[in-house]
Amino acid sequence: MTNPVLPPAMEPADLVWRDGVPESARFGDVYFSRDNGLEETRYVFIGRNRLRERFAELADNRHFVVAETGFGTGLNFLAAWAEWLDCRPKDDSAILHFVSVERFPLTRSDLEKALSFWPELAPQAAELIAHYPPLIQGTHRLVLAGGRIRLTLYFGDVLDAWRDLSFQADAWFLDGFAPSLNPEMWLEGAIGQIRNHSKPGTTLATFTSVGRVRRALIDAGFSMQKVPGFGRKREMLTGQLEASGADSGTAYRSTVAIIGAGIAGTTLARNLAERGVPVVLIDRADQPGAGASGNAQGALYVKLGVEYNAQTELAATALSFSQRYYRRWAGQFWHPTGLLQLASNEQEQHRQQKFLERCQYPVELLEPVDEELGSKRAGLKVTASGLWFPGSGWLEPAKACAALADHPGIQQVFGFNVRTVRSDGKGWTIESLEGQRLSAARLVIAGGHESASLNPANGKLRLKPIRGQVTCLPAEKYNLPGAVICGTKYLNPAVSGIAVTGATFDLRDNNPDVTLESHQENIDQLAELLPAVMGDHGPDASELAGRVSFRCASHDYQPVAGELKDENGQEVPGAYLLTGYGSKGLTWAPLMAEYLADRITGQPLSLPEPLIRRVESSRLYPKPD
């Protein structure tokens, strides 16, 4: 008997390979046809849902949603992806969203082996494999084909997925194993949820022709018919909800104004612009990344909770997404060196021990290391065990903000000191201290700790500035690592002759100037954490350079992303809030931007409902006594 899998790890599919075709050892059924799995997919799902015709007719800047009940090898997804690219203009902004669930996901190696049988899908397969998430439970958003394809892949039970995910499908691939072999896939509750996630005119197709499946779908409101099946299968089912004549998908072309050009604002601006939404990016500084995102270096880092709850799931999901997101800028502002989180004191040693006893993560996300292996991975002698994150590393934040903001769909407006933001019920006007005015249909406040002062709603947001001073170490005077090391302080590898360490955490200090005391604090704690850095001489803090910035934290130290609400929980129409990243902004920013862009454009959401509740803005108002 195998040991039970601890959360958040998923139990992978147990495959048996017969004549090159994967079978499920658990359910005893094949993943695709022995005759020709790709042709079967094209016949059953692509053809019977009329996808080529519907893909080609879709207007630019709209989206189409395909939902599927079993991801399996991903063959159906890749086939839909290939058809989309074949049917769409190469330069349009339309997006194919594919939403799929898998209770027993394939390992990366099994996925690669299974998809190797389809050379005509090799480009799509290679990109999917490269972005395939670690096998941890929950929702994973993959942005593929330069953003033209978005896959929302839920690892877990289908009923949980359809309860927690927000989307409306245009077409359904009712895949999975035969009802007699995997009855959980065909519960009446699941079919009821399929109806809830369908819009007028939604079509569906399924391999099966089983009577109870057909009757359940009819009871859910679909008009069903039996049609000839593929190959040796005599019959299959297709269905459709009554059409209302409404156009598929939604188009959002109106301008979005974003106040704040730090990592929060620039990731959102880039995300929206790449979806075809025009953006006005506003900041009082004269360039992007001038505030808390302006340090020379920053680590891609989270501290995962001992218990795998919603807070830990949000952090793990954000870390995995950000690692995939920044990959396109590797060698520019993103440096994936790996990151070592040290158990630097007795308290942290105890915490990490409990963490490893209660949780199980795939090694591609993290693995425990002893002092010897940790020293080898980090390229510097360490004196404690820790957790190694191979996909993490460090960024050059100011350079990242500038690169993200550099897009023809983004109008950059700098040197703009916002005085007021006002809504006329149709849009927003942003006025500067100098009297300059800008207009937009929607407004996003992403101004860090200054977001509270820009809030047009009633109530005081619980956001606070936290002073942080970093210290720059000259590379020629110190022994520096080849990877990021985190503990009571963090230390990055050198770039341009310096390595950044820090930062202080000064809750009630509004001093914007670099101080000797803060340098000394950084150096003293670094020397205690990593004695090997200092070599044979003690540092002189008075000779070191540094920088002060003010991070924005919410009262519960969780990020904020979503519609702006007032103290009574009422939405402010057309306004959104994006802030509260604290010291983990580089990690939070990509996923929060993806989620908020989903909301603004009316596309399927990248976060499930339990995680949405953790980031919504109404929690920032004090609760009445």
Side-chain angles (χ1 to χ4, degrees), residues 477 479 531-539:
K477 293 186 177 182
N479 301 318
V533 170
M534 299 306 168
D536 298 329
H537 58 86

Side-chain angles (χ1 to χ4, degrees), residues 251-266:
Y252 186 80
R253 295 181 180 274
S254 301
T255 300
V256 176
I258 301 173
I259 300 176
I263 195 66
T266 55

Side-chain angles (χ1 to χ4, degrees), residues 569-582:
Q570 298 299 309
E571 289 184 14
V572 179
Y576 304 84
L577 189 61
L578 186 66
T579 189
Y581 292 175

Side-chain angles (χ1 to χ4, degrees), residues 150-224:
R150 280 176 155 84
L151 169 63
T152 305
L153 183 55
Y154 187 99
F155 287 156
D157 292 324
V158 67
L159 289 178
D160 293 337
W162 300 153
R163 182 193 65 221
D164 291 343
L165 296 179
S166 178
F167 67 93
Q168 291 292 292
D170 295 285
W172 281 94
F173 294 1
L174 298 190
D175 199 357
F177 303 103
S180 61
L181 298 174
N182 191 6
E184 293 297 322
M185 292 294 290
W186 299 104
L187 291 172
E188 289 187 8
I191 292 177
Q193 287 284 9
I194 287 168
R195 173 62 181 86
N196 293 340
H197 286 287
S198 300
K199 62 182 69 169
T202 293
T203 62
L204 63 83
T206 176
F207 292 115
T208 188
S209 60
V210 173
R212 70 183 182 91
V213 174
R214 177 174 171 271
R215 290 189 294 273
L217 287 166
I218 290 173
D219 290 343
F222 289 89
S223 60
M224 300 298 300

